[in-house]
Amino acid sequence: MIYLDHSATTKPDPAVLQTFIQANERFYANPASLHQMGVEANTLLSRSREQIADIIKTSPLQIIFTSGGSESNNFAIKGLARANKHRGKKILVSAIEHASVLESAKALENEGFIVEYVNVDENGVILIDDLKKKLTKDTVVVSIMHVNNEMGAVQPVSEIAKIVHQNSRAFYHMDAVQSFGKIPVQFNGEDGPDAITVSGHKINCLKGTGFLALRKQVKIQPIIHGGGQEMGFRSGTVAVPQDVALAKAVRLATEKQPQKAAQYSKLRDELHEFFKQFPYVRVLSSSQGAPHIISCAVQGLKGEILVNAMQHEGIIISTSSACSSKDHTISHVVKAIQVEPSYEKGVIRMSLGEGISDEDIASFKTAFSKVMHQVKEF
Ligand SMILES: Cc1ncc(COP(=O)(O)O)c(C=O)c1O
């Protein structure tokens, strides 16, 4: 099987797994315990936090380990909004955020917050004028992702951060789940966001790992209360082996990023070119987008049919995103970029990752041509 669904999840790197197993064997004590074994586990945990902080150029105290992207997004949006509600009641999100951002914002409507949506163009890039118009003095949180998971659109995040910081007292949270390890992610500095979300299982780490990085001066309320672990931000016995493994995955992903981006960009452009021969295929991803996500729509077909037909040929792809693939409704991203009705059900996504080769892409092309021949040309 050729796996082209790395944006849904990735296979853990053997070196990361080894780190995880070793940490489990030797450092299984509770890092909050006072005995020697606890102290050692805590030392290892601190070192992992420092390693991640070093890589994203922040202080270790600003890294909060979580269970992944969804938790980090919930924490950022709910935590920032609740802790800073004296600043305002408005939450601004883009129309193409991940469900964990959209639903977190929506849940806050029950607490009196107001959610507004920043529109995007046909490439999925936010309309800066719409952001400027909707960013008012009473905005408390702006959450706009770095790379969209369904079509790979890259947002102008430095410009967004500058606009937010110069024109409001709002905090800018950036979901970096699909960008970390794929394109450079800037955290600190004048035009960096105030909070970023990273998920481990998208960077060849284990499922159930991730972190939220926060700027120093940012006030946030915990959403998981209890024993006060993670500097009081997230209670619960800390999963030291997972977090040690995450630090390793973060390092590996960062080291490999430039070379991987070059490899994936080349393959993405090759696929964009390939799709041009099919008059009933519309490419949705762009050459300005993330290197690893290719998305297209086939007129008059359902994405699920294509996913199954390609699977039959040994190629694993997905409909627009793993999260929307089971509910058979048209994804909010496809709606937001205004795909023509005859194409909107036929969206598929190919996402590249570790181990992908030129031969795999050649096999994809052969399989896709065969499937198109079966379903469209007869
Ligand atoms: C952009 C984006 N944000 C958040 C998430 C959720 O991350 P997790 O699966 O770690 O909860 C995903 C998962 O697909 C994603 O693509």
Side-chain angles (χ1 to χ4, degrees):
M1 283 292 184
I2 294 171
Y3 184 75
L4 296 180
D5 199 16
H6 290 87
S7 285
T9 197
T10 58
K11 183 178 173 186
D13 186 307
V16 171
L17 276 181
Q18 202 189 358
T19 300
F20 173 67
I21 291 167
Q22 283 172 351
N24 263 307
E25 281 168 350
R26 289 187 49 206
F27 300 97
Y28 57 85
N30 191 324
S33 296
L34 293 180
H35 48 67
Q36 185 60 24
M37 284 174 70
V39 171
E40 283 170 9
N42 195 39
T43 305
L44 190 64
L45 177 67
S46 303
R47 208 183 308 145
S48 304
R49 206 188 299 281
E50 278 160 23
Q51 281 167 358
I52 296 179
D54 253 16
I55 289 166
I56 67 163
K57 300 186 178 56
T58 189
S59 125
L61 292 177
Q62 279 27 85
I63 307 289
I64 301 147
F65 288 117
T66 67
S67 65
S70 297
E71 184 189 327
S72 295
N73 284 343
N74 269 263
F75 180 26
I77 291 161
K78 294 175 187 169
L80 288 171
R82 287 173 183 157
N84 300 287
K85 57 181 181 226
H86 54 280
R87 293 187 179 206
K89 287 277 181 193
K90 192 194 279 190
I91 298 167
L92 269 187
V93 296
S94 85
I96 58 165
E97 292 303 305
H98 186 261
S100 54
V101 166
L102 294 175
E103 296 302 318
S104 295
K106 219 189 233 171
L108 288 172
E109 286 179 340
N110 294 329
E111 298 174 28
F113 289 95
I114 295 153
V115 185
E116 283 189 23
Y117 301 86
V118 181
N119 293 321
V120 295
D121 65 17
E122 75 278 9
N123 291 316
V125 178
I126 66 144
L127 299 169
I128 289 290
D129 283 346
D130 200 40
L131 169 68
K132 285 183 178 160
K133 192 174 84 196
K134 289 172 179 163
L135 181 74
T136 47
K137 295 268 171 274
D138 62 339
T139 308
V140 61
V141 177
V142 177
S143 186
I144 297 178
M145 69 203 324
H146 197 180
V147 165
N148 178 261
N149 47 308
E150 297 194 26
M151 53 178 307
V154 179
Q155 303 301 335
V157 290
S158 304
E159 193 181 354
I160 295 170
K162 255 189 233 154
I163 292 169
V164 172
H165 293 145
Q166 284 170 4
N167 299 288
S168 75
R169 294 172 70 213
F171 295 103
Y172 172 36
H173 164 253
M174 178 179 93
D175 177 345
V177 167
Q178 295 289 348
S179 60
F180 197 85
K182 307 298 186 311
I183 58 173
V185 173
Q186 188 203 338
F187 179 45
N188 271 326
E190 219 199 303
D191 47 3
D194 300 297
I196 62 166
T197 285
V198 173
S199 170
H201 74 99
K202 311 283 186 182
I203 54 165
N204 304 95
C205 192
L206 299 144
K207 286 150 190 72
T209 59
F211 66 86
L212 179 74
L214 285 172
R215 277 211 205 207
K216 235 180 236 144
Q217 65 278 21
V218 170
K219 244 175 71 187
I220 192 161
Q221 232 182 57
I223 53 172
I224 302 179
H225 299 94
Q229 289 90 342
E230 291 295 286
M231 296 83 72
F233 289 124
R234 183 201 191 239
S235 289
T237 301
V238 181
V240 177
Q242 280 89 325
D243 298 338
V244 176
L246 180 61
K248 176 124 187 179
V250 163
R251 180 170 65 72
L252 292 176
T254 308
E255 282 170 5
K256 293 177 184 174
Q257 185 273 317
Q259 177 225 333
K260 293 285 172 196
Q263 185 206 357
Y264 301 157
S265 302
K266 182 185 141 288
L267 296 175
R268 175 204 57 200
D269 293 347
E270 193 182 314
L271 282 178
H272 283 170
E273 202 50 42
F274 163 75
F275 287 125
K276 281 187 187 158
Q277 68 186 282
F278 305 99
Y280 39 79
V281 173
R282 204 190 124 184
V283 174
L284 303 177
S285 46
S286 114
S287 54
Q288 312 304 312
H292 63 303
I293 297 178
I294 301 106
S295 159
C296 69
V298 183
Q299 192 178 31
L301 272 187
K302 283 193 177 152
E304 301 91 285
I305 306 268
L306 290 165
V307 168
N308 285 333
M310 289 297 284
Q311 176 165 265
H312 204 69
E313 300 301 319
I315 313 279
I316 303 296
I317 59 168
S318 74
T319 51
S320 47
S321 84
C323 305
S324 58
S325 59
K326 287 215 178 86
D327 63 13
H328 303 292
T329 53
I330 294 156
S331 103
H332 64 288
V333 177
V334 173
K335 287 265 178 232
I337 60 169
Q338 300 184 358
V339 175
E340 299 94 299
S342 63
Y343 284 85
E344 61 185 7
K345 287 191 180 137
V347 179
I348 50 170
R349 177 186 70 180
M350 285 60 66
S351 45
L352 312 180
E354 199 64 42
I356 284 298
S357 65
D358 290 5
E359 291 73 42
D360 293 336
I361 297 304
S363 303
F364 169 86
K365 289 185 196 168
T366 308
F368 188 82
S369 300
K370 185 173 167 193
V371 167
M372 285 301 111
H373 195 65
Q374 286 162 353
V375 297
K376 286 299 277 190
E377 286 161 19
F378 278 105

